[in-house]
mmCIF file of all heavy atoms in Angstrom:
data_model
loop_
_atom_site.group_PDB
_atom_site.id
_atom_site.type_symbol
_atom_site.label_atom_id
_atom_site.label_comp_id
_atom_site.label_asym_id
_atom_site.label_seq_id
_atom_site.Cartn_x
_atom_site.Cartn_y
_atom_site.Cartn_z
ATOM 1 N N LEU A 112 -0.941 -5.678 -10.188
ATOM 2 C CA LEU A 112 -1.371 -5.391 -8.819
ATOM 3 C C LEU A 112 -0.819 -6.364 -7.715
ATOM 4 O O LEU A 112 -0.452 -5.932 -6.499
ATOM 5 C CB LEU A 112 -2.906 -5.456 -8.710
ATOM 6 C CG LEU A 112 -3.719 -4.227 -9.378
ATOM 7 C CD1 LEU A 112 -5.166 -4.448 -9.199
ATOM 8 C CD2 LEU A 112 -3.261 -2.985 -8.852
ATOM 9 N N TYR A 113 -0.761 -7.554 -8.069
ATOM 10 C CA TYR A 113 -0.180 -8.503 -7.040
ATOM 11 C C TYR A 113 1.317 -8.273 -6.661
ATOM 12 O O TYR A 113 1.757 -8.465 -5.642
ATOM 13 C CB TYR A 113 -0.426 -9.963 -7.362
ATOM 14 C CG TYR A 113 0.280 -10.451 -8.631
ATOM 15 C CD1 TYR A 113 1.566 -10.975 -8.524
ATOM 16 C CD2 TYR A 113 -0.213 -10.390 -9.943
ATOM 17 C CE1 TYR A 113 2.392 -11.499 -9.654
ATOM 18 C CE2 TYR A 113 0.523 -10.787 -11.155
ATOM 19 C CZ TYR A 113 1.797 -11.316 -10.832
ATOM 20 O OH TYR A 113 2.510 -11.757 -11.897
ATOM 21 N N GLU A 114 2.113 -7.742 -7.718
ATOM 22 C CA GLU A 114 3.420 -7.462 -7.485
ATOM 23 C C GLU A 114 3.515 -6.195 -6.492
ATOM 24 O O GLU A 114 4.337 -6.092 -5.709
ATOM 25 C CB GLU A 114 4.063 -7.173 -8.788
ATOM 26 C CG GLU A 114 4.278 -8.347 -9.726
ATOM 27 C CD GLU A 114 4.785 -8.020 -11.046
ATOM 28 O OE1 GLU A 114 4.440 -6.879 -11.591
ATOM 29 O OE2 GLU A 114 5.346 -8.896 -11.774
ATOM 30 N N LEU A 115 2.605 -5.252 -6.784
ATOM 31 C CA LEU A 115 2.619 -3.986 -6.056
ATOM 32 C C LEU A 115 2.233 -4.379 -4.537
ATOM 33 O O LEU A 115 2.810 -3.813 -3.648
ATOM 34 C CB LEU A 115 1.612 -3.024 -6.558
ATOM 35 C CG LEU A 115 2.077 -2.341 -7.944
ATOM 36 C CD1 LEU A 115 0.885 -1.669 -8.576
ATOM 37 C CD2 LEU A 115 3.248 -1.378 -7.673
ATOM 38 N N GLU A 116 1.278 -5.260 -4.412
ATOM 39 C CA GLU A 116 0.932 -5.620 -3.012
ATOM 40 C C GLU A 116 2.078 -6.116 -2.111
ATOM 41 O O GLU A 116 2.218 -5.965 -0.984
ATOM 42 C CB GLU A 116 -0.174 -6.746 -3.032
ATOM 43 C CG GLU A 116 -1.487 -6.187 -3.350
ATOM 44 C CD GLU A 116 -2.594 -7.219 -3.262
ATOM 45 O OE1 GLU A 116 -2.433 -8.267 -4.148
ATOM 46 O OE2 GLU A 116 -3.465 -7.237 -2.450
ATOM 47 N N ASP A 117 3.054 -6.886 -2.838
ATOM 48 C CA ASP A 117 4.173 -7.254 -2.125
ATOM 49 C C ASP A 117 5.198 -6.234 -1.702
ATOM 50 O O ASP A 117 5.951 -6.456 -0.778
ATOM 51 C CB ASP A 117 4.865 -8.383 -3.128
ATOM 52 C CG ASP A 117 4.201 -9.722 -3.247
ATOM 53 O OD1 ASP A 117 3.270 -9.907 -2.297
ATOM 54 O OD2 ASP A 117 4.374 -10.396 -4.199
ATOM 55 N N ILE A 118 5.234 -5.153 -2.513
ATOM 56 C CA ILE A 118 6.167 -4.110 -2.175
ATOM 57 C C ILE A 118 5.665 -2.898 -1.485
ATOM 58 O O ILE A 118 6.471 -1.986 -1.068
ATOM 59 C CB ILE A 118 7.087 -3.739 -3.404
ATOM 60 C CG1 ILE A 118 6.080 -3.242 -4.523
ATOM 61 C CG2 ILE A 118 7.806 -4.900 -4.010
ATOM 62 C CD1 ILE A 118 6.839 -2.563 -5.710
ATOM 63 N N LEU A 119 4.293 -2.702 -1.530
ATOM 64 C CA LEU A 119 3.771 -1.534 -0.864
ATOM 65 C C LEU A 119 3.783 -1.601 0.612
ATOM 66 O O LEU A 119 3.626 -2.692 1.167
ATOM 67 C CB LEU A 119 2.278 -1.312 -1.419
ATOM 68 C CG LEU A 119 2.241 -0.926 -2.861
ATOM 69 C CD1 LEU A 119 0.722 -0.932 -3.393
ATOM 70 C CD2 LEU A 119 2.753 0.482 -3.146
ATOM 71 N N PRO A 120 3.674 -0.507 1.366
ATOM 72 C CA PRO A 120 3.617 -0.447 2.728
ATOM 73 C C PRO A 120 2.234 -1.021 3.290
ATOM 74 O O PRO A 120 1.264 -1.234 2.396
ATOM 75 C CB PRO A 120 3.605 0.993 3.166
ATOM 76 C CG PRO A 120 4.154 1.663 1.993
ATOM 77 C CD PRO A 120 3.879 0.969 0.814
ATOM 78 N N SER A 121 2.073 -1.440 4.436
ATOM 79 C CA SER A 121 0.998 -2.054 4.924
ATOM 80 C C SER A 121 -0.445 -1.154 4.926
ATOM 81 O O SER A 121 -1.430 -1.569 5.221
ATOM 82 C CB SER A 121 1.196 -2.486 6.351
ATOM 83 O OG SER A 121 1.298 -1.466 7.187
ATOM 84 N N SER A 122 -0.214 0.128 4.549
ATOM 85 C CA SER A 122 -1.250 1.128 4.593
ATOM 86 C C SER A 122 -2.103 0.806 3.289
ATOM 87 O O SER A 122 -3.258 1.510 3.161
ATOM 88 C CB SER A 122 -0.799 2.541 4.647
ATOM 89 O OG SER A 122 0.040 2.802 3.570
ATOM 90 N N PHE A 123 -1.538 -0.023 2.460
ATOM 91 C CA PHE A 123 -2.324 -0.376 1.082
ATOM 92 C C PHE A 123 -3.134 -1.627 1.345
ATOM 93 O O PHE A 123 -2.535 -2.590 1.945
ATOM 94 C CB PHE A 123 -1.422 -0.318 -0.025
ATOM 95 C CG PHE A 123 -0.965 0.889 -0.552
ATOM 96 C CD1 PHE A 123 0.100 1.567 -0.002
ATOM 97 C CD2 PHE A 123 -1.614 1.552 -1.621
ATOM 98 C CE1 PHE A 123 0.458 2.915 -0.349
ATOM 99 C CE2 PHE A 123 -1.276 2.704 -2.068
ATOM 100 C CZ PHE A 123 -0.202 3.486 -1.418
#
Side-chain angles (χ1 to χ4, degrees):
L112 288 179
Y113 69 88
E114 294 170 330
L115 289 166
E116 283 183 297
D117 289 341
I118 61 173
L119 290 170
S121 65
S122 59
F123 283 82

